Amino acid sequence: NELLFSEFGINYNDEPEIYKKGSVVIREEVLVDVVDKQGNMSKRTKTVVAIVHCDIIKDAFWNKHPEVLGEKGTRAERKAASQKRREAKQEQEQHLDDPAAADKAE
């Protein structure tokens, strides 16, 4: 950032996202107008390929697009669910390693 500013007078923070973070191709659902055979107009969702210029490291992207990972919910909710799965797996492994602990838990 400093080099861009000192050599070329370019402030990195003022540059469009496409030049800072690159592009991400994702599927997005959009509402489209549909006209049926009788001429009635309605709204339907359609999945389209979209090019997004954003920071995928921050939570905002993952909260807006949880489907990218095939999961539902916010990033915090997914983290909590992942932590619960890890804890359950560790508990299972402990019971396999120590049958006496399994008997005590019951």
Side-chain angles (χ1 to χ4, degrees):
N1 295 350
E2 180 61 32
L3 183 63
L4 278 174
F5 189 73
S6 63
E7 294 288 322
F8 305 103
I10 297 172
N11 186 341
Y12 180 81
N13 295 325
D14 294 338
E15 292 301 304
E17 289 293 321
I18 188 173
Y19 301 118
K20 295 193 293 187
K21 305 297 181 185
S23 303
V24 180
V25 179
I26 60 171
R27 290 186 185 101
E28 283 187 326
E29 288 190 354
V30 295
L31 280 176
V32 293
D33 293 326
V34 178
V35 180
D36 63 15
K37 292 178 182 177
Q38 289 80 27
N40 300 321
M41 186 176 284
S42 62
K43 299 264 186 194
R44 300 265 168 88
T45 59
K46 179 180 178 182
T47 302
V48 297
V49 174
I51 299 172
V52 181
H53 310 292
C54 62
D55 184 353
I56 65 169
I57 296 172
K58 295 186 179 166
D59 288 344
F61 174 82
W62 298 105
N63 289 336
K64 186 175 179 184
H65 303 286
E67 71 281 356
V68 171
L69 298 175
E71 299 179 8
K72 303 278 186 212
T74 65
R75 188 172 187 187
E77 291 167 341
R78 293 191 310 273
K79 278 183 167 181
S82 178
Q83 180 64 31
K84 284 182 184 179
R85 286 192 299 270
R86 276 195 300 276
E87 289 170 357
K89 185 176 180 182
Q90 288 173 347
E91 188 175 314
Q92 250 182 352
E93 289 171 352
Q94 287 174 350
H95 290 301
L96 292 174
D97 292 340
D98 185 9
D103 293 337
K104 290 177 187 175
E106 294 173 0

